[in-house]
Structures are given as structure tokens and as C-alpha cells.
Amino acid sequence: MNSQKLPIQETAGNSALVVGATGIAGSNLAKKLLEIGWTVFGLSRNPKSDTEGLIPVAADLLNTESLTAALKDIAPTHVFFTTWMRKDTEDENIRVNSAMVRNVLDVLSPKKSIQHVSLVTGLKHYLGPFDAYAKSGTLPETPLREEQPRLDLPNFYYAQEDEVYEAAARDGFSWNVHRPHTLIGKTIGNAMNLGTTLAVYATICKQEGTPFVWPGSEAQWKGVSDVTDAKILADQIIWAASTPEAHNQAFNTANGDVFRWKWLWPKIAEWFQIEFEGYSGTIQPLETVLNTKHESWRAITKENHLIEGNLDQLASAWHTDLDLGRPLEVMTDMSGSRKLGFTGYKDTKDSFFELFERLRNDRIIP
């Protein structure tokens, strides 16, 4: 991996509030910030204490009284939003997720401490909400480019951005928006976790002697794609926050390589030493398969002395199906950050295999 050199010399006095520090993006960002000497507060409803040096902060993002009490003695120079809350409709997604951003920034505003805010969103900025890809009538042109305009669709990402822009105009801080593709990294209980979902599915296939069946569309199977390693995202977030020329811009974020799933799927199957089946003419949703495998996973967990027997805490098949079922190939253009000097790179095959090794070492999979 070509890892971005981080600006260690500029970290003195910096304190970060990582909102969503238990998720894939937030946990990796918090660790990177700690490595380069930042003071890091990890805000979540149920903080974990498994990251050395991270200062946990428990609060309900939808409750300003809870936030005010939790942040009473905290005045961060940087705020990093890496979380969201899934609701049944996009209108509810907009209401809740914009409130989360607004509440944090409103509570911190009187402190006048914030120098920079970073918001992590994603490619639904270009594709539309989870359950309404391309309802605008035309599929977006790929590679997806940062200058592409917003879709004429309700989208909670737009609402979150607008909250950041409004607070920045009020309080005078700089900002960045980061738009990763599918995030690959380790966490438990995350709502969007394709890498771990595939690891769990492959483990079940191996246990039951069944093939590793491609669940998605023909376009995704044959088309060009990319993903985002959580560590690459962390590097870009810190680089952008620490680079004045990069401020007040939105950046796509991906590993830097591209691949086709028809190439990667067999390699994942080979890693797990199982047979595979590619696209067979129809989409075969993974959620339908995994919904019947809770008892099977509990048996695997017991037999191999694994630490998490609840399949729903590891697998997010609904999100994997949405990603792999898209009717178009999806990859991103990263010209914006590349032109300004961001050089982070990760081989996608290594992203998956390193994740699988970590899941094995941490007794998540056998």
C-alpha cells in the first residue's frame, strides 16, 4: 500500500470529536488521529473502550440536552461526522440525519472552538437514495465525478451537507465532504459492512458445502468497480483537514485501483477454499439466503469458539444486495484530491484479504 504521509508536525493542540467512533469509518479515523498525536473524543450512543487513548463520549445525537451535558467540557478544534441512522423512508432519513449534524454543531457553536468539520457521505450523492437508485429517469455517467450536480431527488446526504454549510457560514470554520464507495474494514454491528458480510457468507458456504453464489446483477458482475478501504478514507480525511488548499471541497474517495467482480469473486472463493458460481441470468439476493442461516451461524460460532453468534451483528445483506444489484457499473474519479497531492492507494484484493485475516485473528470467523 502507498500510504499517504500524514502531517504529524501540524497536530499540536488539535482535538477531534469523531461522531460515530464505533463504525468502520469512525474507528479507523480515530486510530489514525491517535497515531499522529491528536486528542480524540469518540462520540456514540454506546461507546466502546477497545481503542487505546480514545476518550469515549456517550450521547444521543437526537437529544440536545444529552449532547449539551456530554460535551460540556469538550471544545474540539475538528469535528468528523462518520455516522448515520437508517429509517424506513427517505423523508425520515432526511429529518433524522440532518438533525444529528445540526444538533452537534449547534451545541458546540457557543464554544467558538471549531476550526474544521468533515462529513462522510457516499456515492448515493450521485446515485440517489438506497431504495431509489436512478429514479431521476437516467443512469448517471461513470466514472462519478465530484462536480456532477445534485439529483432532483430527496437525499439525506444533501440535507447533511446543507447543515454543515449553514453552520460554517455562521461560525467561520472550513469544511470537507468525503464520498467513499463501499467501505471495507472491520467493525461489529455496522449497518453497511460488505466485506464482513461476504466473509460470513463464505464461511457458511464452506461449512455447508455449498457454492459461493454471486447475488448481484449482470452489470455489477461484468462492469468495472472500485471500493474504499477504511484506512484510505481516514488518510484522506486527515489530509484534507490539514491541507488549506483542500478546504471547502467535496472529494470522492476510493482505493485507487479498479476491478471487475467476475475477477474478484473467484479470488475470494479461493481464499476461503470453496467453489463459486458467477452470474447465472438472475439476481439472487443474499438477504434471502442469510435470513435462513441464523441457526447455522450459531452452530459455526459454537463449534469454532467464535465471539459473535448473532448473524445480524456481522452481516448487512440488505446493503450488500443494494451495492451488488445496481443496474450499472460504478466507479469513481478522484481527480480532485489527486491534483492537490493526495496519493493514498490500496490494492483492493489486499483490502479484502487483510480484513478476512483480521476477522480470523479476532475470532469473528473460523
Side-chain angles (χ1 to χ4, degrees), residues 325-345:
R326 291 170 178 154
L328 75 165
E329 65 177 16
V330 178
M331 84 294 295
T332 56
D333 178 84
M334 285 184 64
S335 296
S337 59
R338 294 297 191 218
K339 287 179 180 179
L340 292 171
F342 180 71
T343 61
Y345 170 84

Side-chain angles (χ1 to χ4, degrees), residues 103-135:
N103 290 345
V104 171
L105 296 179
D106 283 355
V107 167
L108 291 174
S109 180
K111 300 175 185 287
K112 306 299 182 185
S113 67
I114 301 177
Q115 300 172 16
H116 188 85
V117 170
S118 299
L119 171 68
V120 176
T121 62
L123 298 195
K124 291 185 298 301
H125 182 93
Y126 311 105
L127 299 169
F130 279 118
D131 300 317
Y133 285 140
K135 274 191 178 176

